Amino acid sequence: MKDRVINEVTKQLIERKSVRVFEKRQIPEAARRTILEAAMEAPTAGNQQLYTILDITDQKLKDQLAESCDHQLFIADAPLVLVFCSDCLKWLQAYREAGLTPRDPGVGDLMLAVTDAAIAAQNAVTAAWSLGIGSCYIGDVMEQCETQQEILQLPEYVFPAVMVVFGYPTEQQMNRKKPRRFELEDIVCENTYQKKDGVALRKMFNGRCDKETYDEWMKKFCNRKYDSDFSREMTRSVGEYLKQF
């Protein structure tokens, strides 16, 4: 293994893994506030904080989100559920309050706000892990556009970019092996993008395919993820949100 610097922060970033089964205990209010405040300290474009965080405390809403987000029932059991919405509305309202006539938000504004929301979410995830609280990202919140807009009462120019559920991990979850990541050389290109040829791609996935061939594993993964019904629905749903911009 090549040299690298390990301190308490980098150690936790490396060890953190998704948690989908939680102990049946609540997150103390002080820890909850710390997680939220850590999220708000995240880097942000122009110090605008182009997001709104929905703290889902209503059990009925949790149940609805568990169902609308691909029937993932553990969402309903999570003691803390946060939806990080990219928010292009608040600043638009603020400009208009000052008597200005700003342009309508565009896709560039949306992408900037999504980046802000995602960085804030990761700050929350990192802070939670440091407190012994696990988490899991729920990408399915971008699906079922019409349903999510109704459940969360999302106005125009507000997009549910990231949802994260939090809770204390069970012992089984803590002992579960973290899935292997790609090698650094597979992800990092120096200076410019370097397109991989077939040999490089097959080498990149050596650690993923286990006992299957590259072709066998890739076919199953493509069917399960990229060509799945939920992936197609996410593309449709995000397209509906984009029409606002």
Side-chain angles (χ1 to χ4, degrees), residues 45 48-52 84-89 91 103-119 142 145 149 154-162 234-235 237-245:
Q48 297 174 85
Q49 294 181 272
L50 298 167
Y51 53 82
T52 290
F84 293 79
C85 298
S86 59
D87 189 347
C88 296
L89 177 62
W91 278 87
R103 61 176 173 79
D104 291 338
V107 291
D109 303 296
L110 173 62
M111 292 299 102
L112 203 61
V114 168
T115 300
D116 261 19
I119 297 171
M142 290 187 285
C145 168
Q149 285 179 321
L154 301 176
E156 191 175 33
Y157 302 133
V158 177
F159 169 61
V162 180
M234 184 178 293
T235 296
S237 189
V238 172
E240 288 299 312
Y241 284 113
L242 285 173
K243 291 177 181 178
Q244 300 175 9
F245 296 87

Side-chain angles (χ1 to χ4, degrees), residues 49-220:
Q49 294 181 272
L50 298 167
Y51 53 82
T52 290
I53 305 172
L54 306 181
D55 181 6
I56 310 299
T57 59
D58 187 326
Q59 187 58 51
K60 181 180 178 181
L61 285 182
K62 288 185 182 181
D63 293 341
Q64 289 177 310
L65 286 168
E67 184 63 26
S68 65
C69 292
D70 207 26
H71 318 293
Q72 298 184 83
L73 300 183
F74 72 93
I75 296 171
D77 296 331
L80 178 61
V81 176
L82 301 179
V83 180
F84 293 79
C85 298
S86 59
D87 189 347
C88 296
L89 177 62
K90 280 191 292 192
W91 278 87
L92 184 64
Q93 291 177 306
Y95 293 140
R96 289 172 175 169
E97 177 64 21
L100 304 175
T101 54
R103 61 176 173 79
D104 291 338
V107 291
D109 303 296
L110 173 62
M111 292 299 102
L112 203 61
V114 168
T115 300
D116 261 19
I119 297 171
Q122 183 60 20
N123 255 33
V125 164
T126 302
W129 190 257
S130 75
L131 300 174
I133 298 169
S135 60
C136 184
Y137 279 92
I138 310 294
D140 304 87
V141 75
M142 290 187 285
E143 296 178 39
Q144 307 296 331
C145 168
E146 297 79 7
T147 301
Q148 310 298 19
Q149 285 179 321
E150 180 179 355
I151 292 174
L152 301 174
Q153 298 182 27
L154 301 176
E156 191 175 33
Y157 302 133
V158 177
F159 169 61
V162 180
M163 183 162 80
V164 189
V165 297
F166 300 83
Y168 290 98
T170 62
E171 184 176 354
Q172 180 274 333
Q173 288 283 288
M174 284 302 295
N175 293 333
R176 180 178 58 82
K177 186 177 180 181
K178 179 176 179 175
R180 178 180 174 180
R181 299 304 197 242
F182 290 118
E183 297 297 324
L184 184 146
E185 293 77 12
D186 296 326
I187 301 298
V188 179
C189 296
E190 186 172 357
N191 295 323
T192 59
Y193 190 92
Q194 297 158 30
K195 190 175 180 180
K196 298 184 185 301
D197 60 18
V199 173
L201 287 170
R202 289 174 183 272
K203 181 182 177 182
M204 178 177 175
F205 283 89
N206 273 343
R208 298 281 180 103
C209 299
D210 197 18
K211 297 179 181 179
E212 296 180 300
T213 68
Y214 170 88
D215 292 352
E216 291 170 338
W217 187 91
M218 196 59 68
K219 180 179 179 180
K220 290 180 180 179

